[in-house]
Amino acid sequence: MQDAFELFLTYYKVNQLSCGIILAGSKEINDNHLQEMKAYFGKGGSQLVSQYYYDHETGVLAILLADRNLSFTHYQSLIVKDYLQERNLLDGQILIASFPENGNSAVQILKEMQDKMSKDKGKSGEIRISNFEAQASKEQNHILVVSDDETVNEFLGIYLYQKGYTVHFASNGRDGIQKYMELKPDLVISELSLPIVDGYHLIHTIKQSEHNKSSKMMVLTDKRLEDDIKRSFEMGVSDYMTKPFSPIELEARLKRLFQTN
């Protein structure tokens, strides 16, 4: 795969152009599929310049997006996901990254993404930003998101990553409690309606935990009743946001929470 894209990646770097990278676990894709994709993604007069390659040995579809940043790459990955799912071709997670946002070598970014895909194709349809050691070494606030809403999780994963946070996920209250004990995150963002163990039980357990001294909690929910809001604050949560929410408002609230001792 690197050999197939090396000329393009070198061109992007030499000319100081940004480059989006999408890797998707996929069932067998032939040349006709690749040509159809190029036509499909370029419909409507789009000026999208992209390169496509399918690695038959690993079952990974790779797409390079010329002069595109991480935000656009994420947007395009959603279209790729829908396209592959509609044709029953998706067979694993989707990894995304961009050069130079995720590193100073597009070739190295692609290699690390390939390595991750070869070790674990992941959950089908899950979109993840490929994290790198250079980023992990930076001091970042860790956030645990406890929600079974895949759409919200997908959005928060991309959005919070772009804002410099390290994000972890749990899909039910029991796993949320377990991951909290393991990770000791700086902030927990949780739904109230959760499978297995509900949000109130999760809040109570965390607040009673010896690890809770520095962690904060935010409720993110579609419950708008005054009793739910009152009960949440009485239990010790730091903030309460209802869905749908504004990304700008979320960012402002996160900054306030992390600035508050």
Side-chain angles (χ1 to χ4, degrees), residues 8-17 99 104-106:
F8 298 107
L9 295 175
T10 302
Y11 174 81
Y12 297 145
K13 184 171 184 177
V14 169
N15 289 276
Q16 298 183 320
L17 296 174
F99 163 79
N104 58 14
S105 170

Side-chain angles (χ1 to χ4, degrees), residues 112-130:
E112 293 196 29
M113 293 173 73
Q114 282 182 265
D115 290 344
K116 287 186 179 183
M117 291 292 283
S118 66
K119 293 174 183 176
D120 180 16
K121 276 196 173 184
K123 181 181 176 182
S124 183
E126 182 180 17
I127 298 177
R128 299 174 59 192
I129 295 177
S130 193

Side-chain angles (χ1 to χ4, degrees), residues 182-197:
E182 294 172 356
L183 301 169
K184 303 177 183 62
D186 303 295
L187 172 68
V188 178
I189 300 177
S190 178
E191 298 268 4
L192 290 178
S193 299
L194 291 169
I196 306 179
V197 172

Side-chain angles (χ1 to χ4, degrees), residues 30-99:
N30 56 40
D31 290 341
N32 288 334
H33 284 133
L34 295 179
Q35 292 301 318
E36 182 185 307
M37 284 182 201
K38 194 164 187 177
Y40 181 85
F41 297 141
K43 67 184 180 181
S46 170
Q47 297 301 309
L48 180 64
V49 178
S50 52
Q51 303 295 330
Y52 301 81
Y53 177 78
Y54 181 72
D55 190 320
H56 296 273
E57 184 176 340
T58 61
V60 174
L61 168 69
I63 302 173
L64 298 187
L65 306 173
D67 202 19
R68 299 295 184 175
N69 60 18
L70 188 60
S71 294
F72 183 89
T73 303
H74 174 229
Y75 167 76
Q76 191 67 21
S77 72
L78 295 172
I79 299 175
V80 171
K81 174 183 174 179
D82 289 343
Y83 177 92
L84 294 176
Q85 284 182 329
E86 288 174 2
R87 290 157 180 79
N88 195 31
L89 292 172
L90 190 62
D91 186 29
Q93 66 181 332
I94 298 175
L95 288 185
I96 66 172
S98 71
F99 163 79

Side-chain angles (χ1 to χ4, degrees), residues 144-148 153 168 170-173 176 188-191 194 202:
L144 172 62
V145 177
V146 188
S147 171
D148 63 339
N153 289 346
H168 312 272
S171 59
N172 61 66
V188 178
I189 300 177
S190 178
E191 298 268 4
L194 291 169
L202 175 132

Side-chain angles (χ1 to χ4, degrees), residues 145-158:
V145 177
V146 188
S147 171
D148 63 339
D149 188 328
E150 292 186 4
T151 301
V152 168
N153 289 346
E154 191 171 280
F155 170 78
L156 287 177
I158 300 294

